[in-house]
Amino acid sequence: MMPLNRRYMHFNFIAGDNFELNSLNDIEKFLETYPDFQTVVLANEDELNVLLELMGINEFLNHDLESKEFSKYWNLSDFRLPEFNDQQFEQFYKKWLTISRRDNNMDEYCSLIFLQGLSKKWNILKYRLVLLSRI
């Protein structure tokens, strides 16, 4: 369980055939455009970097946003997300826990399970991004 006194960051993984920055200015439009977005709660951007590198994504830059909902984004469209089967996901998850020193709990496990279920669908779409929420 995450300590209550520590501030965590919400990184939203999205994918689609279209990406317009103005879709990030209105939460309803965002939810309509990216209904299967997945949020991963991390301590900081360094943890995001570790996660992306573990996923095989080694070159990424962040871009600042002028949105009331999101402060930054990372465009991962040049990369494919890993498409794990059950066994591969379990190995990935164990490695993530070891590297990140995060707790092994259902919240942690479920926050990354999209890599097993959505990656195949998302990899055929034109855009794959991570957005940092202003929460």
Side-chain angles (χ1 to χ4, degrees):
M1 179 169 230
M2 292 182 241
L4 295 176
N5 60 350
R6 187 170 176 189
R7 182 174 164 94
Y8 283 84
M9 303 172 94
H10 294 85
F11 295 91
N12 303 285
F13 286 72
I14 64 168
D17 277 327
N18 298 303
F19 176 67
E20 297 176 18
L21 287 175
N22 67 0
S23 70
L24 305 178
N25 292 326
D26 179 344
I27 196 67
E28 280 105 27
K29 186 168 184 174
F30 171 80
L31 293 171
E32 180 182 308
T33 306
Y34 309 104
D36 58 357
F37 77 96
Q38 299 293 308
T39 301
V40 177
V41 179
L42 301 170
N44 52 46
E45 289 182 40
D46 291 336
E47 274 193 351
L48 175 66
N49 294 343
V50 169
L51 178 61
L52 293 176
E53 288 173 2
L54 187 58
M55 292 167 51
I57 301 172
N58 298 314
E59 299 175 31
F60 42 85
L61 298 173
N62 67 57
H63 306 276
D64 290 333
L65 286 171
E66 299 284 333
S67 163
K68 67 180 182 180
E69 303 294 338
F70 306 100
S71 60
K72 294 181 184 181
Y73 76 94
W74 292 257
N75 187 342
L76 310 178
S77 302
D78 291 338
F79 302 95
R80 293 178 53 82
L81 300 174
E83 297 177 16
F84 295 131
N85 62 32
D86 291 345
Q87 183 179 19
Q88 291 167 326
F89 180 76
E90 291 299 326
Q91 291 171 345
F92 169 85
Y93 180 68
K94 287 177 185 175
K95 192 171 185 178
W96 165 247
L97 292 176
T98 300
I99 293 170
S100 67
R101 297 185 183 159
R102 294 177 63 91
D103 291 336
N104 182 12
N105 59 48
M106 193 54 96
D107 289 339
E108 187 70 26
Y109 186 87
C110 291
S111 74
L112 298 174
I113 197 71
F114 75 93
L115 294 172
Q116 185 176 357
L118 287 174
S119 291
K120 187 172 185 174
K121 174 186 172 185
W122 285 6
N123 282 335
I124 61 172
L125 300 174
K126 185 174 181 179
Y127 297 98
R128 285 168 297 287
L129 299 108
V130 179
L131 306 167
L132 175 58
S133 294
R134 288 197 183 272
I135 296 176

